[in-house]
Amino acid sequence: MDLRFRDAKPTDEERAAVDDLLGPPPTAWTGGTRTETDLRVAAKPEDARDMLLPALHAVNDRVGWISEGALDYICRRLTVPPAEAYGVATFYSLFSVEERPKRVLHVCTDLACQARGGQAVRDRVRERFGPPGADWHESPCLGLCERAPAALALEAGVPHRAEVYAPATPDTITTITGTVPASNGHAPAVHIAGETPVEKAVPQAGDPDLVLLRRIGQVDPASLDDYRAAGGYTALRRAFELGPAGVIREVLESGLVGRGGAAFPTGRKWEATARRPDHPHYLVCNADESEPGTFKDRVVMEGDPYALIEAMTIAAYATGCAKGYLYIRGEYPRATARLQHAIATARSRGLLGDDILGKGLSFDIKLRRGAGAYICGEETAIFNSIEGRRGEPRSKPPFPVEKGLFGKPTVVNNVETLVNVLPILERGAQAYAAAEPKLFCVSGAVERPGVYELTFGATLRELLDMAGTTGTTRAVLLGGAAGAFVTDLDIPLTFEGTRNAGATLGSGVVLVIDDGVDLKALLLRIAEFFRHESCGQCVPCRVGTVRQEEALRRLARRVDPNRPRGADDPDLVLLREVGRTMRDASICGLGQTAWNAVESAIDRLGVFT
């Protein structure tokens, strides 16, 4: 791909996909028909690079891949250099710049699926289609861990279609590799195999003591009237009574910290953004939960989408944001469809847009779909992705509250963090802090996998008693691939309690491992995951994740139960050196945490020793 435009032409179908999104090209300079005026005047078009990711999706969704002609046309429409657009298109795993079938199957290979028989599913798909290639891909976590093993079929067309298979079994491969059923016209059309209700992912559904999950399974997620009848928009009205400063004060006094893993105080982030004199301010909801084993945000978005819309509106009011971006995983078709419907409905009912509830607040939300990149869950990588650039993290400082999206002060919170703001305003900061709720994603060797809501301070044992373990629990992986293995089930599930135990709550992952799981294979999958998902920007991570996987593979080949390894084994020494370097010198959390789970498995479980 060149910096210059080439002679490749888009097909009529590709051109229509782009024009349906962007509208017809106004001039020849942006791909339209040349006129006499165009030959005399080369007016600088409005900067629209932030539409690059949606435009790539538009072509990929309709045709199934992005040809050189389609990419050239997108570049002309958005005035983006072709080489830069090519770099963006090849950054994401859900896009392809090589021709492939319109229907592609994505089979999850990650931790929860591997612990629940996912290898047998992959073996059966391989028997039918051969090695992974154009027809099917081995995919990182699909966020369907409570129904593992899982597969996702994506089919291009008008409209494009998606079908989720969970649990997938070797016996259903014929069904999985068939044609996705015709849709009812929604975009994106989503057919869920078996029509599994979202409340099946919440074993506690219907419990009157629930806070964050109380509406899931009890309220129609498509109905704004049902949401309001169940207490919806009470918190926003309370916010208007308190005023922006009062809202921030309540959030500060509640002690709410981020639920994405970093645990930064939410009120401090909001306060810092609100004080910045540079405008406009932006709000970004990070719904790109890609940490293997995490699916709580998906469940909230599918089961209670208006709660997220209301929470984003409150955050925008408190921090002075007129525009918000909701960045959602490309692998979440049903959540995307429900949020599209909720945003459109809220806008039509005066709950988004100008003069919300007659209070003078102007705020609207744009939904942006990710395209398969774990790194875009990092708070600055998400800015680059929205702006139409490769999703690579930025150096800090400056921090997002100073210079974030489009170079302006930006608030970034994930879904769980935002929906916690609703009970803070409904109940008051002190009442909330006295019984602060936390969501946990429980999967693996348990009888009732799903999202659980507990009050901070409950122990890991109490959580597993609720989920019901199967067999003998060998270890629990807390925090996902970036977390750590633990064996003490009496750890209090708090940020401090897990930190004292040498682990982390992270994004709330609780993956239960029994004796039937091959821990060596699981560690190799973790190493492979980080190597594949590294953006390659910094040397410690780019090289370190490769060296980590190589060392683990050598150790796996040299397993001899009669000759245990000592701490001076060269590959174990290398792993520790590489792990420390990644932790100390990587630019973002991916490299900084890539060694955590491997280190804990070696030190606490004796794997490879």
mmCIF file of all heavy atoms in Angstrom, residues 480-503:
data_model
loop_
_atom_site.group_PDB
_atom_site.id
_atom_site.type_symbol
_atom_site.label_atom_id
_atom_site.label_comp_id
_atom_site.label_asym_id
_atom_site.label_seq_id
_atom_site.Cartn_x
_atom_site.Cartn_y
_atom_site.Cartn_z
ATOM 1 N N GLY A 480 -8.425 -12.424 35.345
ATOM 2 C CA GLY A 480 -8.242 -12.774 33.935
ATOM 3 C C GLY A 480 -6.798 -13.064 33.576
ATOM 4 O O GLY A 480 -5.959 -13.330 34.451
ATOM 5 N N ALA A 481 -6.494 -12.999 32.282
ATOM 6 C CA ALA A 481 -5.138 -13.297 31.811
ATOM 7 C C ALA A 481 -4.111 -12.366 32.425
ATOM 8 O O ALA A 481 -2.941 -12.722 32.582
ATOM 9 C CB ALA A 481 -5.081 -13.208 30.285
ATOM 10 N N ALA A 482 -4.530 -11.147 32.777
ATOM 11 C CA ALA A 482 -3.631 -10.170 33.391
ATOM 12 C C ALA A 482 -3.607 -10.295 34.903
ATOM 13 O O ALA A 482 -2.973 -9.483 35.583
ATOM 14 C CB ALA A 482 -4.044 -8.758 32.999
ATOM 15 N N GLY A 483 -4.286 -11.305 35.455
ATOM 16 C CA GLY A 483 -4.380 -11.473 36.902
ATOM 17 C C GLY A 483 -3.403 -12.487 37.446
ATOM 18 O O GLY A 483 -2.274 -12.610 36.953
ATOM 19 N N ALA A 484 -3.842 -13.239 38.455
ATOM 20 C CA ALA A 484 -2.946 -14.191 39.116
ATOM 21 C C ALA A 484 -3.747 -15.373 39.646
ATOM 22 O O ALA A 484 -4.939 -15.239 39.971
ATOM 23 C CB ALA A 484 -2.198 -13.508 40.267
ATOM 24 N N PHE A 485 -3.086 -16.525 39.735
ATOM 25 C CA PHE A 485 -3.690 -17.718 40.310
ATOM 26 C C PHE A 485 -3.578 -17.672 41.832
ATOM 27 O O PHE A 485 -2.531 -17.283 42.373
ATOM 28 C CB PHE A 485 -3.004 -18.979 39.792
ATOM 29 C CG PHE A 485 -3.260 -19.275 38.350
ATOM 30 C CD1 PHE A 485 -2.384 -18.823 37.359
ATOM 31 C CD2 PHE A 485 -4.372 -20.005 37.960
ATOM 32 C CE1 PHE A 485 -2.614 -19.095 36.022
ATOM 33 C CE2 PHE A 485 -4.621 -20.279 36.618
ATOM 34 C CZ PHE A 485 -3.731 -19.826 35.651
ATOM 35 N N VAL A 486 -4.644 -18.079 42.517
ATOM 36 C CA VAL A 486 -4.627 -18.170 43.974
ATOM 37 C C VAL A 486 -5.194 -19.522 44.382
ATOM 38 O O VAL A 486 -5.967 -20.142 43.648
ATOM 39 C CB VAL A 486 -5.444 -17.036 44.632
ATOM 40 C CG1 VAL A 486 -4.868 -15.678 44.284
ATOM 41 C CG2 VAL A 486 -6.912 -17.116 44.247
ATOM 42 N N THR A 487 -4.815 -19.951 45.575
ATOM 43 C CA THR A 487 -5.343 -21.200 46.131
ATOM 44 C C THR A 487 -6.067 -20.977 47.454
ATOM 45 O O THR A 487 -6.799 -21.850 47.904
ATOM 46 C CB THR A 487 -4.199 -22.209 46.354
ATOM 47 O OG1 THR A 487 -3.189 -21.609 47.190
ATOM 48 C CG2 THR A 487 -3.559 -22.605 45.026
ATOM 49 N N ASP A 488 -5.877 -19.811 48.061
ATOM 50 C CA ASP A 488 -6.545 -19.479 49.316
ATOM 51 C C ASP A 488 -7.945 -18.969 49.019
ATOM 52 O O ASP A 488 -8.114 -17.882 48.448
ATOM 53 C CB ASP A 488 -5.735 -18.414 50.061
ATOM 54 C CG ASP A 488 -6.373 -18.017 51.386
ATOM 55 O OD1 ASP A 488 -7.385 -18.626 51.786
ATOM 56 O OD2 ASP A 488 -5.863 -17.077 52.024
ATOM 57 N N LEU A 489 -8.960 -19.741 49.407
ATOM 58 C CA LEU A 489 -10.333 -19.364 49.103
ATOM 59 C C LEU A 489 -10.922 -18.402 50.123
ATOM 60 O O LEU A 489 -12.064 -17.950 49.953
ATOM 61 C CB LEU A 489 -11.210 -20.613 49.008
ATOM 62 C CG LEU A 489 -10.793 -21.658 47.969
ATOM 63 C CD1 LEU A 489 -11.842 -22.755 47.876
ATOM 64 C CD2 LEU A 489 -10.574 -21.015 46.594
ATOM 65 N N ASP A 490 -10.195 -18.062 51.145
ATOM 66 C CA ASP A 490 -10.704 -17.144 52.169
ATOM 67 C C ASP A 490 -10.230 -15.708 51.950
ATOM 68 O O ASP A 490 -10.334 -14.872 52.848
ATOM 69 C CB ASP A 490 -10.298 -17.631 53.566
ATOM 70 C CG ASP A 490 -10.978 -18.952 53.920
ATOM 71 O OD1 ASP A 490 -12.202 -19.045 53.693
ATOM 72 O OD2 ASP A 490 -10.291 -19.877 54.375
ATOM 73 N N ILE A 491 -9.720 -15.434 50.764
ATOM 74 C CA ILE A 491 -9.307 -14.070 50.424
ATOM 75 C C ILE A 491 -10.539 -13.176 50.378
ATOM 76 O O ILE A 491 -11.531 -13.504 49.718
ATOM 77 C CB ILE A 491 -8.613 -14.050 49.051
ATOM 78 C CG1 ILE A 491 -7.303 -14.841 49.086
ATOM 79 C CG2 ILE A 491 -8.345 -12.615 48.593
ATOM 80 C CD1 ILE A 491 -6.666 -15.001 47.721
ATOM 81 N N PRO A 492 -10.522 -12.045 51.073
ATOM 82 C CA PRO A 492 -11.647 -11.098 50.928
ATOM 83 C C PRO A 492 -11.612 -10.447 49.551
ATOM 84 O O PRO A 492 -10.554 -10.019 49.079
ATOM 85 C CB PRO A 492 -11.400 -10.080 52.044
ATOM 86 C CG PRO A 492 -9.943 -10.187 52.362
ATOM 87 C CD PRO A 492 -9.533 -11.597 52.072
ATOM 88 N N LEU A 493 -12.760 -10.396 48.926
ATOM 89 C CA LEU A 493 -12.838 -9.848 47.573
ATOM 90 C C LEU A 493 -12.953 -8.328 47.632
ATOM 91 O O LEU A 493 -14.001 -7.731 47.375
ATOM 92 C CB LEU A 493 -14.015 -10.468 46.823
ATOM 93 C CG LEU A 493 -13.854 -11.970 46.536
ATOM 94 C CD1 LEU A 493 -15.120 -12.536 45.927
ATOM 95 C CD2 LEU A 493 -12.648 -12.228 45.641
ATOM 96 N N THR A 494 -11.839 -7.719 47.973
ATOM 97 C CA THR A 494 -11.681 -6.266 47.961
ATOM 98 C C THR A 494 -10.379 -5.965 47.239
ATOM 99 O O THR A 494 -9.533 -6.846 47.053
ATOM 100 C CB THR A 494 -11.620 -5.693 49.380
ATOM 101 O OG1 THR A 494 -10.452 -6.227 50.046
ATOM 102 C CG2 THR A 494 -12.869 -6.055 50.191
ATOM 103 N N PHE A 495 -10.212 -4.712 46.842
ATOM 104 C CA PHE A 495 -8.964 -4.351 46.171
ATOM 105 C C PHE A 495 -7.779 -4.565 47.107
ATOM 106 O O PHE A 495 -6.726 -5.052 46.700
ATOM 107 C CB PHE A 495 -9.031 -2.896 45.695
ATOM 108 C CG PHE A 495 -10.008 -2.679 44.579
ATOM 109 C CD1 PHE A 495 -11.218 -2.059 44.805
ATOM 110 C CD2 PHE A 495 -9.712 -3.121 43.292
ATOM 111 C CE1 PHE A 495 -12.131 -1.862 43.777
ATOM 112 C CE2 PHE A 495 -10.619 -2.940 42.248
ATOM 113 C CZ PHE A 495 -11.834 -2.308 42.496
ATOM 114 N N GLU A 496 -7.957 -4.214 48.377
ATOM 115 C CA GLU A 496 -6.869 -4.365 49.339
ATOM 116 C C GLU A 496 -6.627 -5.845 49.655
ATOM 117 O O GLU A 496 -5.483 -6.294 49.751
ATOM 118 C CB GLU A 496 -7.187 -3.615 50.632
ATOM 119 C CG GLU A 496 -7.333 -2.109 50.469
ATOM 120 C CD GLU A 496 -8.699 -1.716 49.904
ATOM 121 O OE1 GLU A 496 -9.598 -2.596 49.817
ATOM 122 O OE2 GLU A 496 -8.869 -0.546 49.522
ATOM 123 N N GLY A 497 -7.717 -6.613 49.834
ATOM 124 C CA GLY A 497 -7.577 -8.024 50.198
ATOM 125 C C GLY A 497 -6.861 -8.824 49.132
ATOM 126 O O GLY A 497 -5.978 -9.646 49.445
ATOM 127 N N THR A 498 -7.212 -8.623 47.874
ATOM 128 C CA THR A 498 -6.542 -9.370 46.807
ATOM 129 C C THR A 498 -5.106 -8.884 46.616
ATOM 130 O O THR A 498 -4.213 -9.685 46.329
ATOM 131 C CB THR A 498 -7.317 -9.229 45.484
ATOM 132 O OG1 THR A 498 -7.550 -7.834 45.209
ATOM 133 C CG2 THR A 498 -8.650 -9.942 45.571
ATOM 134 N N ARG A 499 -4.892 -7.580 46.816
ATOM 135 C CA ARG A 499 -3.527 -7.055 46.695
ATOM 136 C C ARG A 499 -2.631 -7.673 47.757
ATOM 137 O O ARG A 499 -1.482 -8.039 47.480
ATOM 138 C CB ARG A 499 -3.535 -5.530 46.812
ATOM 139 C CG ARG A 499 -2.209 -4.871 46.449
ATOM 140 C CD ARG A 499 -2.293 -3.359 46.582
ATOM 141 N NE ARG A 499 -3.360 -2.789 45.769
ATOM 142 C CZ ARG A 499 -4.396 -2.120 46.254
ATOM 143 N NH1 ARG A 499 -4.504 -1.912 47.559
ATOM 144 N NH2 ARG A 499 -5.311 -1.645 45.449
ATOM 145 N N ASN A 500 -3.132 -7.804 48.970
ATOM 146 C CA ASN A 500 -2.340 -8.407 50.051
ATOM 147 C C ASN A 500 -2.045 -9.878 49.785
ATOM 148 O O ASN A 500 -1.071 -10.427 50.299
ATOM 149 C CB ASN A 500 -3.070 -8.259 51.382
ATOM 150 C CG ASN A 500 -3.147 -6.818 51.853
ATOM 151 O OD1 ASN A 500 -2.341 -5.980 51.440
ATOM 152 N ND2 ASN A 500 -4.113 -6.511 52.696
ATOM 153 N N ALA A 501 -2.897 -10.502 48.983
ATOM 154 C CA ALA A 501 -2.689 -11.915 48.647
ATOM 155 C C ALA A 501 -1.846 -12.084 47.392
ATOM 156 O O ALA A 501 -1.680 -13.203 46.894
ATOM 157 C CB ALA A 501 -4.041 -12.598 48.463
ATOM 158 N N GLY A 502 -1.299 -10.983 46.884
ATOM 159 C CA GLY A 502 -0.468 -11.056 45.685
ATOM 160 C C GLY A 502 -1.264 -11.270 44.416
ATOM 161 O O GLY A 502 -0.752 -11.825 43.437
ATOM 162 N N ALA A 503 -2.521 -10.815 44.425
ATOM 163 C CA ALA A 503 -3.377 -10.964 43.248
ATOM 164 C C ALA A 503 -4.043 -9.625 42.964
ATOM 165 O O ALA A 503 -3.608 -8.584 43.449
ATOM 166 C CB ALA A 503 -4.418 -12.065 43.482
#
